[in-house]
Amino acid sequence: MSTSIWGLAKTNPPPVADGVVEFPTKTRFHIALNVKQVSPMLAFYQVLFGVQPHTLREGYAKFDLREPPMNFSLNEVPKNAKGNGNFGIEVKDRKVLDAIGTRLQAAQLPWTHTGSGNNQVPELQVKDPEGNTWRIFCARDESTSATPGTQYH
């Protein structure tokens, strides 16, 4: 795999070494996604995150991400996987968004580019093999919004 789509995660910022697990901040998100099968999901998440799983065993895969700081795991739960989750990652600018789109296109993963126009946040959407939607979108200065009160999720 090549460098993370999220940037120079190995050098920016240095990890905080005050716990059992090192990651670049004092806190990070943990998302445990129940899936029908782990193996068909691996290629998608390796492309999306730009890294190999940190831990891989039957029925389980864990990605320790430094950028964005997140503990993301796939847990094989055949009877409880629904494939209807919605997740998002906010990026700082359009250049990062375009790099992610390029990576998805190179891996031949179908995605859509949405959010063009004056009042919309540029974003792309992609679904994992079980139908969970990922929205990757640009940060926005809400104080300059032409439509006060518009909510983005």
Side-chain angles (χ1 to χ4, degrees):
M1 286 263 111
S2 60
T3 304
S4 168
I5 55 177
W6 309 115
L8 299 174
K10 294 183 179 177
T11 59
N12 260 341
V16 175
D18 56 0
V20 176
V21 177
E22 291 186 17
F23 46 91
T25 58
K26 291 283 186 184
T27 60
R28 69 177 176 173
F29 282 100
H30 174 229
I31 296 175
L33 185 61
N34 290 346
V35 299
K36 293 174 187 163
Q37 290 185 312
V38 169
S39 56
M41 306 292 278
L42 287 176
F44 174 84
Y45 284 102
Q46 288 169 352
V47 170
L48 182 65
F49 297 138
V51 297
Q52 298 290 321
H54 177 270
T55 305
L56 185 59
R57 60 181 181 261
E58 186 163 339
Y60 178 81
K62 176 183 172 188
F63 292 84
D64 273 329
L65 305 175
R66 297 208 40 217
E67 182 72 26
M70 180 171 36
N71 170 347
F72 181 85
S73 64
L74 299 169
N75 303 289
E76 197 164 297
V77 186
K79 295 181 181 181
N80 192 27
K82 304 217 186 296
N84 59 4
N86 289 285
F87 304 94
I89 298 174
E90 185 174 20
V91 298
K92 287 190 175 184
D93 59 40
R94 183 64 181 256
K95 190 162 80 171
V96 176
L97 184 72
D98 291 344
I100 294 167
T102 299
R103 177 176 291 248
L104 294 171
Q105 186 172 352
Q108 299 180 342
L109 293 173
W111 58 275
T112 57
H113 196 283
T114 61
S116 58
N118 292 339
N119 295 326
Q120 295 183 351
V121 176
E123 72 173 47
L124 60 86
Q125 291 185 13
V126 62
K127 291 184 183 258
D128 74 15
E130 291 191 8
N132 295 293
T133 300
W134 282 85
R135 289 178 57 242
I136 297 92
F137 59 97
C138 288
R140 166 185 182 107
D141 180 357
E142 295 297 328
S143 67
T144 62
S145 174
T147 310
T150 301
Q151 291 186 334
Y152 300 96
H153 36 236

